[in-house]
Amino acid sequence: MNLSSLSASSASSHPLAPYGWDEGWEAEFAPYAEQGLLPGRVVRVDRGQCDVVTAGGVLRADTAFVTPHDPLRVVCTGDWVAVEPGGNPRYVRMYLPRRTAFVRSTSSKRSEGQILAANVDHAVVAVSLAVELDLGRVERFLALAWESGAQPVVVLTKADLVPDPVVLAHLVQDVETTAPGVPVLTVSALHGDGLDALVSLVGSGTSVLLGQSGAGKSTLANALVGDDVMDVQAARDVDGKGRHTTTTRNLLPLPSGGVLIDTPGLRGVGLFDAESGVGQVFSEIEELAEQCRFHDCVHESEPGCAVRAAVDSGALPVRRLDSYRKLMRENQWIVAKTDARLRSEIRKDWKRKGAQGRAAMEAKRGRWK
């Protein structure tokens, strides 16, 4: 048996293997092991402290040593950390480099990012069928998921509330059109329908469960874990929304393998430097744009615009193009708030478009005279 086989065998038999420990993490942690620190994974964070699962059990630790001014570098659920073997209080000394990170923008005027979960392999976006589908919101979640580096999955919950199979098929088709390259599953956690496919998909690696309050995330989490680990509250009939049943992000091992991070319901899903994620969600528009006559085409009234041609022919829904523009503009503004050069370029572009508009109006007036 060679050294790499020994390392893989050691990692797979490690007490933290059910939480995602592997030879990669073992290699990353080696320098901290030499310092006598313990490896562990953060299963919950609140008020500057966190619960860390280690080979010896769950420890409570302070994050003061790794709480910088940058909110994207704070310890979060899903992080692998180096924690002190003893002490009162006990401290987290470092977190290992993240493989993926799910980040959204905050409502702060400083346009800060908020990290929701780290080292995630699958981003499970829960969408309730109890209310009218908000495809624009689905696209937002997917943009953040793709940007994080995780594989998105859309789960249409409460499928038992849509008894007509034809109607259900149309709803699934609408979401599949909105989510190219993304698995779309229908699930009734209440009756267990459709769970097998989801269990199989999230049975390895780490999955984060995302969605609005009332989307049925806690019921889905309970079904996946096989126990009532999360409280469940009824959603309002008027709009399908519920209160925040989950108030912190919790990492839960799944009996079928893998781990699940359940998150509070997200009312605000702001983009944070997610241009590539938006491009992935609207991949058909990005592909069409490559056929436009001008490389800087904005798909409005330029001659030879392949995107507008697709809209005019009915091949591309107008709603998709409008949503793409909206998310790209929003993301551009978020980035511009921290990039003076980009802000200047945006202002210049506005002035250029304004001049073009005025020139067009003058030309029309000249023809009217």
Side-chain angles (χ1 to χ4, degrees):
M1 183 178 292
N2 58 37
L3 290 178
S4 61
S5 298
L6 284 171
S7 177
S9 175
S10 172
S12 63
S13 61
H14 195 280
L16 290 174
Y19 289 88
W21 184 260
D22 57 30
E23 59 267 28
W25 293 123
E26 190 167 31
E28 289 277 5
F29 192 80
Y32 305 105
E34 293 176 356
Q35 300 173 30
L37 299 175
L38 300 176
R41 193 165 196 192
V42 177
V43 297
R44 177 187 171 101
V45 178
D46 61 276
R47 300 177 184 177
Q49 294 188 315
C50 62
D51 293 336
V52 182
V53 60
T54 69
V58 177
L59 306 176
R60 188 72 170 168
D62 197 301
T63 65
F65 278 101
V66 280
T67 307
H69 296 296
D70 184 350
L72 296 181
R73 297 177 62 191
V74 299
V75 172
C76 75
T77 303
D79 271 327
W80 285 99
V81 297
V83 65
E84 294 175 342
N88 188 20
R90 191 190 306 264
Y91 288 98
V92 171
R93 288 291 176 176
M94 181 63 67
Y95 66 79
L96 300 184
R98 293 162 177 158
R99 294 178 181 175
T100 62
F102 195 96
V103 180
R104 69 166 176 174
S105 69
T106 66
S107 57
S108 167
K109 293 182 179 179
R110 291 176 294 179
S111 183
E112 295 177 336
Q114 178 191 20
I115 183 163
L116 300 180
N119 303 312
V120 172
D121 300 293
H122 299 98
V124 180
V125 180
V127 180
S128 173
L129 290 176
V131 294
E132 184 177 354
L133 285 176
D134 185 345
L135 297 178
R137 181 168 288 271
V138 173
E139 287 161 345
R140 282 179 171 274
F141 274 113
L142 292 176
L144 294 179
W146 281 122
E147 190 68 31
S148 75
Q151 166 66 52
V153 182
V154 176
V155 175
L156 302 179
T157 65
K158 307 182 183 182
D160 52 289
L161 299 181
V162 187
D164 188 332
V166 176
V167 174
L168 183 60
H170 282 303
L171 292 173
V172 172
Q173 185 177 27
D174 286 344
V175 177
E176 287 177 338
T177 302
T178 301
V182 175
V184 179
L185 308 177
T186 57
V187 168
S188 170
L190 188 63
H191 301 296
D193 299 334
L195 278 176
D196 288 347
L198 181 58
V199 167
S200 176
L201 197 147
V202 302
S204 62
T206 299
S207 302
V208 62
L209 188 54
L210 307 158
Q212 286 184 285
S213 298
K217 294 189 291 78
S218 295
T219 302
L220 192 58
N222 287 338
L224 290 172
V225 175
D227 197 4
D228 291 336
V229 294
M230 309 304 296
D231 291 333
V232 177
Q233 296 177 350
R236 299 192 300 245
D237 290 336
V238 64
D239 55 10
K241 294 181 180 178
R243 285 175 285 177
H244 290 308
T245 303
T246 305
T247 56
T248 59
R249 286 170 280 281
N250 303 279
L251 188 146
L252 311 165
L254 300 177
S256 58
V259 292
L260 179 72
I261 298 176
D262 191 23
T263 65
L266 301 176
R267 290 195 178 96
V269 194
L271 302 184
F272 187 80
D273 197 5
E275 182 175 352
S276 65
V278 174
Q280 189 81 27
V281 175
F282 298 93
S283 57
E284 80 277 32
I285 296 179
E286 298 268 300
E287 291 171 3
L288 286 168
E290 294 178 359
Q291 304 171 30
C292 292
R293 182 181 302 177
F294 304 109
H295 74 277
D296 58 349
C297 183
V298 294
H299 321 308
E300 292 180 350
S301 58
E302 298 89 342
C305 175
V307 175
R308 289 301 314 178
V311 171
D312 294 340
S313 70
L316 177 67
V318 174
R319 190 206 67 80
R320 284 284 282 173
L321 180 56
D322 289 343
S323 185
Y324 172 73
R325 286 173 173 159
K326 179 180 179 180
L327 293 185
M328 289 297 279
R329 283 197 302 267
E330 178 183 326
N331 189 73
Q332 189 179 44
W333 267 116
I334 291 294
V335 175
K337 285 182 179 181
T338 56
D339 189 330
R341 178 180 172 183
L342 182 57
R343 284 199 301 272
S344 176
E345 290 176 354
I346 290 175
R347 291 193 186 99
K348 289 179 181 178
D349 187 51
W350 276 3
K351 290 180 180 179
R352 178 179 61 80
K353 288 182 178 178
Q356 288 175 343
R358 289 190 295 273
M361 286 301 298
E362 290 297 327
K364 288 182 179 179
R365 288 171 183 161
R367 289 197 297 270
W368 292 337
K369 290 180 179 178

